[in-house]
Amino acid sequence: MLIKTPSKENKLFSIFVFLAWPFISFILAILNYRSSYSKNIVWVFCAFFGYTFIISNPDMDANRYKSQLKRLYAKTDQPYIKLLKEPFAKKGIYSGTDIYAHALSLTVSRFTDDFRFFFGIIGLVFGFFYSRNLFMLIAHIKEKKFIFLTAILMFTLAVLIPFWNINGYRFYTAAMVFLYGVLKIIFERKTVGYLFIILSPLVHFSFALPLTIFIIYKVIGNWTFMYFLMLIFSLSMVDFDPNTLNENAELFPVFMQNKVSGYSSEDYIHTIQNMQKDLNWYVKGRMYALQFSLYSLLIFILIKRKVYLKDKVAQSLISFGILMLAIANIVSSIPSMGRFFSVAAFLLLTGIIYAIQQQPKGKIFKSLGYLYAIPIFFFLTVELRIGFDFIGLNSLLLNPFFAPFFPDSPALIEFFK
């Protein structure tokens, strides 16, 4: 569905629809994904979603951010610079690592303790990189019309790190910033991409790891087969003992040692393990469905590499994606480090979609579309179900003018229980 009006009128229409009903404008942007305004509608909808974000239970990360905002708001009589330096100055191993989160919380607290405004800013920042990463791929795809297989893979890519993940915004914003830098370099060969890669650890300290991996990758180059052997080897290392990391925390930079010890401590490991035990079967199952789709498509691309990896962009995306996935497998047993799988998967899916759309007319893709429909639809369905814990009626029905005057609605999942 494309609106057949001049470009200027399209943009004006999209702005009007967003102001009247953001959710509908978001749907129209998806349907009109080739339009110039679509990425900006997705961007500002993420900000609106952040403003209407629902804290559906007391254990959510967002509660900590809300409390931190209120604590800082209560200190508005103290100098900004003093509070800005407080978590970092002369703290040794207890120095803070959340530079972006602290600076953002402090800056917003100078004006308001309204959590909705704070999360609106979070959504705005996340949404910029989220929308640019998705639409950068679309802009560089040779074949304009998506075949069925790549269409469902695009939806998978969109919900791999979805906008409702701003509940844990530090890691996932860092992921989007890092991916934006990588895609800028690979797709557009723009050196500004290195700046975003370097900045990503300032958003979440753990992105020092993918930064290091990218540096190694740039030195070694596209040794796709060697990286694939590493990937196979990494599958035997998923039982890496986090205690080894805990016992050697002093090897890390001083400001990171406390975080490394905390993430690899026995108490934290047990907490995460208990949380994993409580997950429903379909929450765990969705990852198996995604992994089956990702690994089997990757093997198909590698078998046909003379066809699908002759393009330098496709080769770079797949090569670096495989390397990232290998490292993600190795560190996955360390609590919270399994999240790097989504970063690696984003790169690989981007590369797979790009490679397939370069040669979309093969008959095999019709069969593959039917084959992958079931596991991918299962993954998408469960991911949307998870999103229902954070999305309320306000996100779907209100607009920026009315939302400030309405209390938070229950999360959508409450209507299905």
Side-chain angles (χ1 to χ4, degrees), residues 17 26 30 54 58 67 81 110 116 137-138 151 160 165 167 233 250 275 291 314 324 366 370 380 391 401-402 416:
V17 174
F26 176 70
I30 295 172
I54 299 297
S67 299
I81 297 299
R110 296 281 110 170
R116 296 181 299 176
L137 169 60
I138 292 172
L160 193 60
N165 272 12
N167 174 54
F233 176 71
E250 70 276 1
M275 290 173 61
Q291 289 169 354
M324 272 296 303
K366 186 173 182 179
Y370 293 131
L380 294 175
I391 303 171
F401 302 107
F402 292 146
F416 294 91

Side-chain angles (χ1 to χ4, degrees), residues 7-267:
S7 177
K8 187 175 180 180
E9 291 183 23
N10 260 350
K11 291 178 182 178
L12 291 173
F13 177 76
S14 67
I15 293 171
F16 172 78
V17 174
F18 174 80
L19 294 175
W21 197 345
F23 181 66
I24 291 298
S25 73
F26 176 70
I27 298 299
L28 289 174
I30 295 172
L31 296 175
N32 291 270
Y33 61 89
R34 288 289 180 185
S35 298
S36 60
Y37 67 83
S38 294
K39 63 182 177 183
N40 289 330
I41 292 297
V42 171
W43 174 21
V44 292
F45 178 78
C46 289
F48 179 73
F49 169 76
Y51 187 85
T52 56
F53 179 88
I54 299 297
I55 301 179
S56 58
N57 70 73
D59 297 325
M60 287 171 55
D61 291 343
N63 275 301
R64 297 202 317 271
Y65 306 137
K66 184 176 183 179
S67 299
Q68 173 69 359
L69 180 67
K70 289 187 178 297
R71 284 196 297 270
L72 290 172
Y73 184 73
K75 298 180 179 181
T76 51
D77 58 323
Q78 299 184 35
Y80 178 89
I81 297 299
K82 173 181 175 292
L83 293 175
L84 183 65
K85 295 189 297 183
E86 190 174 63
F88 314 105
K90 301 178 181 179
K91 294 292 181 70
I93 65 170
Y94 299 105
S95 294
T97 57
D98 302 329
I99 297 174
Y100 166 70
H102 178 64
L104 181 62
S105 298
L106 179 59
T107 302
V108 173
S109 74
R110 296 281 110 170
F111 307 98
T112 181
D113 64 346
D114 187 342
F115 174 76
R116 296 181 299 176
F117 182 79
F118 175 60
F119 250 57
I121 298 296
I122 288 171
L124 186 71
V125 176
F126 176 89
F128 174 81
F129 294 102
Y130 174 77
S131 61
R132 268 54 190 173
N133 289 341
L134 293 176
F135 284 90
M136 199 184 311
L137 169 60
I138 292 172
H140 287 86
I141 285 177
K142 179 180 177 182
E143 182 68 34
K144 301 302 182 184
K145 186 177 180 180
F146 287 157
I147 60 174
F148 177 66
L149 176 60
T150 48
I152 59 177
L153 290 177
M154 274 300 302
F155 279 111
T156 305
L157 190 67
V159 301
L160 193 60
I161 305 178
F163 51 79
W164 50 83
N165 272 12
I166 59 172
N167 174 54
Y169 77 92
R170 294 179 303 118
F171 181 90
Y172 292 109
T173 301
M176 283 295 152
V177 172
F178 175 80
L179 288 166
Y180 180 75
V182 172
L183 296 182
K184 273 286 181 185
I185 294 168
I186 293 178
F187 274 124
E188 301 177 359
R189 300 179 183 177
K190 291 187 176 179
T191 54
V192 70
Y194 291 100
L195 174 62
F196 291 99
I197 293 172
I198 293 169
L199 287 175
S200 62
L202 301 182
V203 183
H204 196 277
F205 79 100
S206 65
F207 274 78
L209 175 62
L211 167 60
T212 304
I213 297 169
F214 187 75
I215 292 171
I216 294 171
Y217 161 74
K218 290 302 290 184
V219 172
I220 297 176
N222 289 328
W223 289 81
T224 310
F225 186 70
M226 182 183 74
Y227 297 147
F228 186 68
L229 291 178
M230 286 180 60
L231 177 59
I232 295 173
F233 176 71
S234 73
L235 295 174
S236 65
M237 295 187 65
V238 292
D239 291 327
F240 174 81
D241 187 359
N243 287 323
T244 303
L245 190 66
N246 188 270
E247 293 167 0
N248 294 279
E250 70 276 1
L251 299 177
F252 290 82
V254 172
F255 70 94
M256 292 177 62
Q257 289 178 15
N258 190 48
K259 283 282 190 179
V260 171
S261 297
Y263 275 107
S264 57
S265 67
E266 286 190 20
D267 289 342

Side-chain angles (χ1 to χ4, degrees), residues 267-337:
D267 289 342
Y268 188 70
I269 292 170
H270 290 152
T271 299
I272 297 298
Q273 287 175 341
N274 289 332
M275 290 173 61
Q276 293 292 326
K277 288 178 183 177
D278 293 337
L279 292 176
N280 291 317
W281 68 268
Y282 52 80
V283 176
K284 297 178 182 178
R286 88 195 194 284
M287 295 308 298
Y288 294 126
L290 176 62
Q291 289 169 354
F292 162 76
S293 301
L294 186 66
Y295 278 100
S296 56
L297 279 169
L298 177 59
I299 291 170
F300 172 79
I301 293 291
L302 291 177
I303 291 173
K304 299 286 187 179
R305 60 187 177 277
K306 291 184 179 179
V307 176
Y308 297 108
L309 296 186
K310 61 183 179 181
D311 183 288
K312 183 67 180 291
V313 170
Q315 189 181 79
S316 298
L317 287 168
I318 296 295
S319 292
F320 183 53
I322 293 173
L323 179 60
M324 272 296 303
L325 185 57
I327 303 301
N329 284 339
I330 292 171
V331 302
S332 62
S333 59
I334 303 171
S336 297
M337 296 296 276

